[in-house]
Amino acid sequence: MNAIEVRGLKKSFGTKEVLQEVDLTVERGEIFGFLGRNGAGKSTFIQIMSGITHSTGGTVVLLGKPTDRLDAIKQRIGVMPDTSNLYHDMTARAFLEYMAGLSGVRISKQEVLRLLEQVGLSGTERQKIRSFSFGMKKKISIAQALTGNPELLFLDEPTSGLDPESAIDIQRLLFALKANGKTIFLTSHNLNEIEKICDRVAIMAEGRIVRCGTVASLQEAIGQEIQIHIRTVPRLETSHLPEYARLLSQIDECTRLELTSKEDIPNLLVSLAKQDVKVYEVQIERQSLEEIFLAV
Ligand SMILES: Nc1ncnc2c1ncn2[C@@H]1O[C@H](COP(=O)(O)OP(=O)(O)OP(=O)(O)O)[C@@H](O)[C@H]1O
Ligand SMILES: [Mg+2]
């Protein structure tokens, strides 16, 4: 069973169509990254998934249940929205208990302390949220999403604004949750982070998903470059290798070659070996997610 199945999802604010026709499937146990420029509709999408706002068309099935019956699965879903309505006068502990209560879950003091520890907020249970720093508020928002041990998590920019160490701690937490079988749907503008932690990604532009798949499959689709380092280059006899003559003639001690097909890699290496050219290092330089993103 898929964790998220979205078909033809639409959302308009007045005449503005933010989501035009979004189709998306997220499998159980995946960490799925949702990307798009500011205003692309990522937060709107998460708000629809979690019932904070309504779509203007299409269907959403979460954990096998249509979301028009969200009450039936509310307890199995955790959400960290982009702008959270943190209750500033509450202590961290009271806030987590209250938020758990809203989704019909009672949590023990031990559970509260465990959640605070998980997000790096140990010892803050009696502190008022008003006295939290930006990053601490972010962390308690994540803790809030985890109350009740949900199977499916929607996290809107969970690590933005966190210091690097805290961000890494949260990434580790996400990996641990995945290892426990949870499904995590997140947005982030940190493409290195997305590349590191997500099984699959989708890129939104103009209300639609324009790319979707593993980072490797997106790289594959966009092409690649091969970089070859060579220490000794005997005089190359290129006449019997007409297809590589141009490339081989460019080979120097350390050469960067652009190939058009993946098959050119072994072919070229065989050609070089036949001519006793020693290849000490071959690096396939792939497009980064950033480059793929910017090309959209
Ligand atoms: N309540 C609202 N009323 C009118 N327009 C809205 C409302 N909420 C969002 N929008 C518009 O919908 C579009 C998508 O906003 P959304 O917050 O989903 O973008 P996002 O992809 O999350 O961007 P960011 O990366 O900045 O967080 C924006 O153009 C925004 O102005
Ligand atoms: Mg947003």
Side-chain angles (χ1 to χ4, degrees):
M1 189 215 308
N2 291 317
I4 305 173
E5 281 173 37
V6 170
R7 295 290 165 262
L9 192 68
K10 292 184 188 170
K11 176 69 180 176
S12 302
F13 292 106
T15 53
K16 182 169 183 165
E17 291 184 312
V18 175
L19 303 179
Q20 294 202 14
E21 189 84 25
V22 175
D23 294 315
L24 186 69
T25 302
V26 175
E27 287 164 27
R28 280 193 168 226
E30 277 192 301
I31 300 183
F32 193 94
F34 203 43
L35 315 183
R37 292 184 167 85
N38 293 135
K42 306 176 297 295
S43 297
T44 303
F45 182 87
I46 286 189
Q47 283 164 8
I48 294 169
M49 295 301 107
S50 53
I52 298 171
T53 190
H54 291 289
S55 66
T56 41
T59 59
V60 180
V61 177
L62 300 180
L63 302 168
K65 301 268 193 297
T67 45
D68 46 15
R69 301 210 317 270
L70 198 61
D71 276 349
I73 45 164
K74 214 164 69 178
Q75 294 184 6
R76 297 167 64 194
I77 293 171
V79 185
M80 174 201 178
D82 59 341
T83 48
S84 57
N85 45 346
L86 292 176
Y87 297 88
H88 288 93
D89 273 331
M90 287 184 179
T91 62
R93 178 179 170 190
F95 172 67
L96 291 182
E97 288 171 347
Y98 176 74
M99 293 308 284
L102 285 186
S103 41
V105 179
R106 276 180 68 94
I107 56 169
S108 65
K109 185 180 173 192
Q110 280 79 2
E111 180 65 4
V112 168
L113 297 183
R114 197 182 61 84
L115 283 169
L116 289 174
E117 198 214 323
Q118 271 192 321
V119 296
L121 286 177
S122 293
T124 62
E125 61 274 14
R126 290 166 184 229
Q127 216 173 306
K128 290 250 170 88
I129 290 178
R130 121 175 14 263
S131 72
F132 276 18
S133 72
F134 176 85
M136 291 168 78
K137 285 180 185 156
K138 205 92 196 185
K139 292 175 189 177
I140 194 135
S141 248
I142 300 173
Q144 169 275 122
L146 298 175
T147 56
N149 197 19
E151 290 159 57
L152 172 58
L153 284 162
F154 290 99
L155 306 174
D156 202 349
E157 299 193 30
T159 59
S160 70
L162 295 190
D163 65 70
E165 202 177 339
S166 299
I168 288 169
D169 287 343
I170 296 302
Q171 290 164 12
R172 288 208 185 103
L173 172 62
L174 299 183
F175 277 128
L177 291 164
K178 174 186 153 82
N180 279 326
K182 315 288 184 203
T183 308
I184 301 164
F185 184 95
L186 62 90
T187 68
S188 172
H189 290 293
N190 180 341
L191 300 179
N192 291 331
E193 170 179 274
I194 291 273
E195 207 164 341
K196 191 162 97 188
I197 68 173
C198 292
D199 299 297
R200 287 195 305 141
V201 300
I203 304 178
M204 278 269 302
E206 280 146 29
R208 291 168 203 274
I209 290 178
V210 290
R211 301 264 187 284
C212 185
T214 61
V215 172
S217 73
L218 300 190
Q219 287 167 329
E220 195 85 354
I222 212 163
Q224 56 193 353
E225 286 185 358
I226 177 170
Q227 188 169 320
I228 304 180
H229 299 267
I230 300 159
R231 201 170 296 163
T232 54
V233 187
R235 224 181 121 70
L236 293 170
E237 182 46 69
T238 56
S239 58
H240 60 285
L241 293 164
E243 71 273 35
Y244 295 120
R246 191 185 57 81
L247 285 175
L248 291 173
S249 64
Q250 294 169 19
I251 285 183
D252 203 345
E253 209 170 285
C254 174
T255 306
R256 182 186 176 138
L257 297 174
E258 260 182 62
L259 302 180
T260 45
S261 145
K262 207 159 95 177
E263 291 314 305
D264 281 346
I265 302 170
N267 292 344
L268 187 62
L269 290 176
V270 166
S271 307
L272 289 169
K274 273 186 194 153
Q275 300 190 58
D276 290 333
V277 175
K278 291 181 179 159
V279 178
Y280 288 92
E281 198 179 337
V282 176
Q283 265 178 26
I284 299 170
E285 201 176 88
R286 295 184 188 281
Q287 299 261 7
S288 67
L289 184 56
E290 192 169 78
E291 287 166 298
I292 296 169
F293 181 83
L294 292 174
V296 162

